[in-house]
Amino acid sequence: MNYSRKSKIAGILTTLLISLVILSVSVLRCATPRIAYSPIVLSEKVESNVTMTVDYLLAYPGKIGPDNTLWYGKVMRDKVWYFFTFNKDKKLELNLLFADKRLSSSLELFKNNKPDLGLSTLTKAEKYLEMAVPSNADNAEYLKKLALASLKHREVIETQILSLSPEDIAPRVNKINDYPKETYKKARDLMYSKGLIPPENVFELK
């Protein structure tokens, strides 16, 4: 009887292990981020006096959002993908990709009147953006991309998400907006350290 139970348990564990290996192989086959881009249309109701000209398209978040029961499977896939990405530059790219996707998902949640979940998703997005900052200025093209991305994040937050935020959530959205502001400064300073000219900060043109 005990032998039978042990055999069943061993069979289940073996199946789970094989499933994990298959998932890992699948993730490794697409270890280089292949980003599908989709422009986010600016809302007609804008609460900022800045005319937005940030030339950056956010990554398409996909059809499964944080309000979908399959979302946790998607999050687990991202974690496995990240874990099996060993190149530091590619990890930075993944952080930026996850930041962009979650920002887009957050905006959709706010549009669908789900501000609490939208706020949580926005917080994760901007923390990923912070993690996308490199420790050096070796990759000039990536730094330019990161600077533009941070400006785009700020644009979406200030011109769209804030206008959709209830009064009790708006102050927290404003606080989260500090992340893209700081990310831009760090990317800018790294570019300056190499004698490079960073993308223009349209928010300083008011």
Side-chain angles (χ1 to χ4, degrees), residues 139-186:
N139 191 333
E141 283 302 312
Y142 174 75
L143 283 173
K144 179 181 178 181
K145 178 181 178 182
L146 179 63
L148 285 170
S150 63
L151 291 173
K152 190 68 177 182
H153 278 235
R154 186 174 172 184
E155 173 189 323
V156 172
I157 291 171
E158 292 188 13
T159 68
Q160 296 188 83
I161 292 179
L162 267 175
S163 66
L164 297 169
S165 301
E167 290 184 5
D168 61 323
I169 285 181
R172 284 181 280 175
V173 171
N174 258 323
K175 183 65 176 176
I176 293 170
N177 197 27
D178 288 340
Y179 282 98
K181 291 178 182 179
E182 286 302 313
T183 299
Y184 174 80
K185 290 178 183 177
K186 290 176 182 178

Side-chain angles (χ1 to χ4, degrees), residues 18-30 80 84:
I18 292 173
S19 300
L20 180 59
V21 171
I22 292 173
L23 176 62
S24 301
V25 171
S26 175
V27 170
L28 285 171
R29 289 181 65 182
C30 53
V80 173
F84 284 102

Side-chain angles (χ1 to χ4, degrees), residues 1 4 40 42 65 95 144:
M1 194 70 171
S4 177
I40 287 186
L42 290 178
N95 283 324
K144 179 181 178 181

